[in-house]
Amino acid sequence: MVEQPYPDAESQWAAVVNRDAAADGQFFYAVKSTGVYCRPACPARRPNRANVVFFTSPDLAEGAGFRPCLRCRPKDVSAQQRLVTQVQHLLDTIEPAPGLAALGEAVGMSPQHLQRLFKRATGLSPREYAAGRRAERLKVGLRQGACVTTALYDAGYGSVRALYDQAHAHLGMSPGAYKRGGRGVAIRYTFGDTGLGRMLLAATPRGVCALRFGDPEALLAELRAEFPQATLTEEPHALAESVAAVCAYLQGEGGQSALDLPLDVTATGFQQKVWNALRTIPRGETRSYKDVAELIGEPRAVRAVARACAANPVALVVPCHRVVRAGGEPGGYRWGVERKRRLLEQEKRG
């Protein structure tokens, strides 16, 4: 049987902590101290974990003596959210994963509309969601002791090549090229003036590989040290559109929660989990390092989460500035604590 998105209390609690809208309708949580039950994305303040119990339906929650939250109205899960949940179920249970056309036909919606709706609700396209679930199944199989070949076929990969092709697509630049200092990689870069000071933006033909703030000379020296065997060329005109997107994002235009630029970065599996989790934090909100560790299912990896945040090469695209210390203090930031404070204050103002 295919693993479900929220199979246990740990994953359900992580969805509640992150206000995961994709979990609405899949389960409900109740708070013993208040006698109220809610949907996972309820905007109310997160309760103490010790007071929380989970139910698969409103009827079960009410049967246990809880009443529905007047703020999130858990019984009124929207038709669109039910459709998203239906699509997730299809992607979780059918191999190979259905394409957009098949999914649209199954739920009675055009592929284009379905793509937009699903991405708005989950932050991923159906294809990206299916690839992520397949990767999760592979990791479970390997942790349980299965050999690589058995685990990859059980997870839904059609071949060893399919596994490596997907890993390359997720991580961008191949690990080999990265280890050789970017040998054979053409990197264009430019500088820009923003509300947070001078910025360096660099990109390969596949996407942005560096977005950093600080002294231009120091930033360029850092880029050259990171990719000593790459071909680096300053090309302001070629990257003008990306620079404009960063500036518009910083000014709050479009109401984007995360800066949406194509990426070409290399990450360990753990870093990828952390960086993906950071992109789900809404603009104007923060999470503690512990919150992020719990969200990715590694509650003891708080320090490792902090290291992954510090290693982030693409500011704003991966919003590591939204991770703070447990007491609310900003904590460290690769591009300066004061810049982090300004950025957080700016986002809270909208």
Side-chain angles (χ1 to χ4, degrees), residues 134-143 148 151-152 155 157 163:
R134 190 180 297 118
E136 289 172 11
R137 293 195 294 271
L138 174 66
K139 291 174 185 176
V140 170
L142 293 174
R143 283 199 298 266
V148 173
L152 73 90
Y157 293 96
L163 169 62

Side-chain angles (χ1 to χ4, degrees), residues 262-285:
L263 289 181
D264 186 3
V265 296
T266 299
T268 66
F270 183 84
Q271 287 172 335
Q272 186 178 347
K273 285 201 300 183
V274 172
W275 296 349
N276 285 340
L278 301 189
R279 287 176 60 81
T280 69
I281 303 174
R283 187 184 184 116
E285 296 186 17

Side-chain angles (χ1 to χ4, degrees), residues 3-338:
E3 180 188 5
Q4 295 304 306
Y6 309 97
D8 52 35
E10 183 178 348
S11 60
Q12 291 169 346
W13 174 242
V16 170
V17 169
N18 197 49
R19 293 182 173 87
D20 184 359
D24 282 357
Q26 300 205 38
F27 68 89
F28 302 84
Y29 75 93
V31 185
K32 291 183 284 188
S33 58
T34 64
V36 169
Y37 74 94
C38 305
R39 65 176 70 184
C42 179
R45 183 177 179 179
R46 302 296 84 172
N48 187 310
R49 174 65 182 89
N51 292 328
V52 173
V53 291
F54 299 98
F55 298 94
T56 56
S57 72
D59 290 342
L60 289 175
E62 291 180 14
F66 294 95
R67 62 186 185 279
C69 173
L70 296 179
R71 187 170 184 180
C72 71
R73 299 184 181 277
K75 300 181 77 169
D76 299 335
V77 176
S78 71
Q80 288 188 341
Q81 184 55 55
R82 288 196 295 271
L83 185 145
V84 169
T85 300
Q86 182 181 353
V87 171
Q88 287 177 312
H89 178 73
L90 293 172
L91 293 171
D92 287 337
T93 56
I94 298 177
E95 284 293 344
L100 262 181
L103 290 170
E105 183 177 355
V107 299
M109 180 177 288
S110 73
Q112 295 78 13
H113 189 191
L114 174 60
Q115 173 95 335
R116 289 193 297 270
L117 174 65
F118 193 88
K119 190 160 188 175
R120 187 165 61 246
T122 67
L124 302 169
S125 69
R127 182 177 180 180
E128 290 169 337
Y129 175 87
R133 299 292 294 133
R134 190 180 297 118
E136 289 172 11
R137 293 195 294 271
L138 174 66
K139 291 174 185 176
V140 170
L142 293 174
R143 283 199 298 266
Q144 292 176 345
C147 70
V148 173
T149 302
T150 299
L152 73 90
Y153 283 113
D154 286 348
Y157 293 96
S159 65
V160 175
R161 180 180 179 82
L163 169 62
Y164 288 110
D165 284 347
Q166 188 180 92
H168 182 66
H170 275 295
L171 301 181
M173 192 182 304
S174 70
Y178 187 86
K179 290 177 182 177
R180 293 192 300 272
R183 182 182 302 169
V185 179
I187 297 178
R188 300 177 296 184
Y189 71 90
T190 189
F191 297 99
D193 290 311
T194 74
L196 294 176
R198 292 286 279 170
M199 168 191 73
L200 177 143
L201 188 147
T204 72
R206 296 185 60 193
V208 174
C209 61
L211 201 171
R212 301 165 186 179
F213 296 94
D215 175 71
E217 291 186 6
L219 292 175
L220 183 55
E222 182 183 65
L223 187 69
R224 285 175 172 157
E226 187 172 349
F227 301 105
Q229 298 188 50
T231 302
L232 301 182
T233 309
E234 186 170 10
E235 296 188 28
H237 296 296
L239 298 172
E241 186 175 338
S242 295
V243 171
V246 174
C247 293
Y249 171 80
L250 286 172
Q251 293 169 6
E253 297 178 12
Q256 294 172 279
S257 183
L259 179 60
D260 189 12
L261 290 175
L263 289 181
D264 186 3
V265 296
T266 299
T268 66
F270 183 84
Q271 287 172 335
Q272 186 178 347
K273 285 201 300 183
V274 172
W275 296 349
N276 285 340
L278 301 189
R279 287 176 60 81
T280 69
I281 303 174
R283 187 184 184 116
E285 296 186 17
T286 59
R287 300 288 185 271
S288 70
Y289 294 101
K290 182 179 180 182
D291 289 337
V292 176
E294 292 177 346
L295 175 62
I296 65 172
E298 303 277 358
R300 297 183 179 179
V302 176
R303 291 185 179 179
V305 166
R307 289 194 294 270
C309 291
N312 171 29
V314 281
L316 305 180
V317 186
V318 175
C320 57
H321 61 277
R322 294 177 186 159
V323 186
V324 300
R325 291 176 178 168
E329 285 298 309
Y333 191 50
R334 183 171 178 176
W335 300 284
V337 176
E338 183 55 35

